[in-house]
Amino acid sequence: FKDTEELIEYAEGRHKSYEYGRYGNPTVRVCEEKIAALERAEEGLVSSSGMNTATTLLLALVPQGGHIVTTTDCYRRTRQFIQTFMTDKMNVTATVLDPSDLEGLEKALKANDVTLYFSESPTNPYLRCIDVPTVSGLCREHGALCVVDGTFATPVNQKILELGADLVISSGTKYMAGHNDVLCGYIAGKKEVVDKVKAMQNILGGVMDPHAAYLLLRGMKTLELRIARQNENGMKLAKALEQHPKVSRVHYPGLPSHPDHQNAITQMKGFGGVVSFEVDGDLWKTAKVIDTVRLPYIAPSLGGVESLIEQPTVVSYWDQAPEIRAKIGIKDSLIRYACGIENFEDIWSDLKQALDQV
């Protein structure tokens, strides 16, 4: 600031500038504007990671003693934050429903003073797709905010806000950045609601640094091209896996066999690059597939240009007893394959030779 008068003008909203790095940055702001445009939102807000975005949002919008409705097939750390920290420290209660349980949602909304509904669509790892227009309509009738995590779809494949949700949240680390080299997250939606989350983020400090914003902007330049290839690879892989004798089940919303296929084809332009499938074998036969592939990296992420493969039991739930994993639906035979932009024949020939050895 050139002088005290200009600083006062800034404080009173008559001069536009950036006071302090935690409160804003020109590169970061360009990211937010581009994301808002992609999501058809009034406002966008980026942060240091997808998980930071989720926790900051929940802390900003759910009061002490509030009630949250969420879904069973959900990123573990989000569910953990809701069911431990928010329950234990803030006396928040939660109803956990199957993603397709609209009757249960209506009952929960009538029986509780619900602050917020939170679900992924598609979910992780079974790629369940909620009926966003119906869910958001029910929430609106009862004064609850509808928040949908669209990480697995991106705004290229699914316009969540146009389907009726109040906020869309995403781990920009994945498809949006697209190169497995940056951590970031974002929300987008009505300015009034986003501003409440921004106020909390300014306090907690989980902001995106300018270089991460630059990397996210770089990734967004090729977003549509990458998503088109990953949609193609995902669909081809899902169809090929359904025909393989060593695969007992494939989870992919683009397949008619998926329980939420109708929601997916109604709401999505493409179905993404993540394919989950169950090997016809136990934990160690499934691990053998993971260890025998040569093309993908064994890593717990998705959405980048390189393909990744993981066994959720080992990568995300090894610290949980088998009966706990079974209760939340994580099977030892489950594999999640996140397609990159490689040639499909390379992806399939590599995975096929691994499956053939089961």
Side-chain angles (χ1 to χ4, degrees):
F1 298 92
K2 66 182 183 181
D3 54 31
T4 300
E5 184 179 354
E6 187 175 82
L7 181 56
I8 292 172
E9 288 177 353
Y10 167 78
E12 294 178 351
R14 293 180 287 112
H15 174 74
K16 290 187 177 181
S17 184
Y18 295 93
E19 174 194 356
Y20 188 62
R22 193 169 76 247
Y23 303 147
N25 171 275
T27 310
V28 169
R29 185 56 192 155
V30 170
C31 258
E32 292 171 340
E33 290 170 347
K34 287 182 179 290
I35 286 167
L38 280 169
E39 294 284 7
R40 306 290 192 266
E42 290 181 8
E43 185 61 281
L45 176 68
V46 295
S47 83
S48 57
S49 72
M51 194 63 219
N52 178 76
T53 301
T55 55
T56 303
L57 178 152
L58 290 168
L59 288 171
L61 300 179
V62 181
Q64 187 169 4
H67 191 91
I68 298 172
V69 177
T70 188
T71 52
T72 50
D73 194 28
C74 176
Y75 178 54
R76 179 188 177 188
R77 297 303 182 190
T78 306
R79 183 173 62 243
Q80 189 176 31
F81 183 75
I82 292 170
Q83 295 182 322
T84 58
F85 180 86
M86 298 197 79
T87 299
D88 297 342
K89 307 282 186 173
M90 297 175 60
N91 295 319
V92 169
T93 52
T95 299
V96 183
L97 301 170
D98 182 273
S100 63
D101 188 1
L102 296 174
E103 183 179 343
L105 173 59
E106 191 163 15
K107 287 180 180 178
L109 288 165
K110 288 179 178 178
N112 305 281
D113 184 12
V114 177
T115 307
L116 184 143
Y117 171 93
F118 188 104
S119 180
E120 301 160 10
S121 190
T123 62
N124 180 29
Y126 289 110
L127 306 168
R128 300 295 304 277
C129 298
I130 67 168
D131 181 345
V132 180
T134 302
V135 167
S136 58
L138 287 170
C139 289
R140 199 173 299 113
E141 286 176 22
H142 293 85
L145 286 172
C146 177
V147 181
V148 179
D149 185 332
T151 299
F152 277 57
T154 80
V156 173
N157 281 334
Q158 181 175 247
K159 291 288 193 289
I160 288 173
L161 298 177
E162 291 186 345
L163 291 168
D166 295 297
L167 284 177
V168 58
I169 181 172
S170 178
S171 172
T173 303
K174 313 301 192 297
Y175 287 108
M176 294 293 281
H179 292 77
N180 294 321
D181 59 4
V182 62
L183 288 173
C184 57
Y186 73 79
I187 61 168
K190 296 175 182 176
K191 179 173 171 51
E192 179 185 0
V193 182
V194 173
D195 283 350
K196 290 179 182 178
V197 182
K198 182 176 177 60
M200 178 63 74
Q201 182 166 288
N202 287 348
I203 296 168
L204 299 179
V207 299
M208 177 186 282
D209 74 84
H211 184 64
Y214 163 77
L215 291 174
L216 177 56
L217 287 167
R218 171 217 56 184
M220 288 164 64
K221 291 177 181 179
T222 59
L223 176 64
E224 189 171 14
L225 294 172
R226 290 184 284 105
I227 292 296
R229 182 59 170 262
Q230 287 164 308
N231 285 343
E232 179 184 349
N233 282 345
M235 180 61 85
K236 287 181 176 178
L237 183 60
K239 289 179 176 179
L241 286 167
E242 270 203 322
Q243 302 303 314
H244 197 284
K246 300 297 177 64
V247 174
S248 59
R249 187 173 181 184
V250 180
H251 304 270
Y252 189 70
L255 294 176
S257 58
H258 191 276
D260 302 315
H261 178 64
Q262 191 58 47
N263 286 343
I265 61 174
T266 302
Q267 299 174 170
M268 302 175 73
K269 294 180 179 178
F271 308 106
V274 175
V275 182
S276 295
F277 63 96
E278 297 168 37
V279 175
D280 188 11
D282 60 13
L283 186 151
W284 296 110
K285 286 184 178 180
T286 305
K288 174 74 172 176
V289 175
I290 300 283
D291 294 340
T292 307
V293 293
R294 296 187 296 269
L295 186 147
Y297 292 99
I298 303 173
S301 193
L302 60 110
V305 293
E306 301 96 353
S307 289
L308 305 177
I309 193 169
E310 66 163 80
Q311 189 173 0
T313 289
V314 177
V315 169
S316 300
Y317 293 92
W318 194 246
D319 61 332
Q320 301 291 304
E323 59 270 21
I324 299 298
R325 295 198 299 264
K327 185 178 179 180
I328 58 179
I330 300 300
K331 300 180 180 180
D332 290 347
S333 60
L334 182 69
I335 288 177
R336 194 186 76 179
Y337 197 108
C339 294
I341 63 170
E342 302 94 345
N343 183 285
F344 174 72
E345 296 306 322
D346 292 338
I347 292 174
W348 178 237
S349 62
D350 175 53
L351 183 55
K352 183 177 182 299
Q353 63 82 25
L355 285 167
D356 288 345
Q357 296 183 50
V358 175

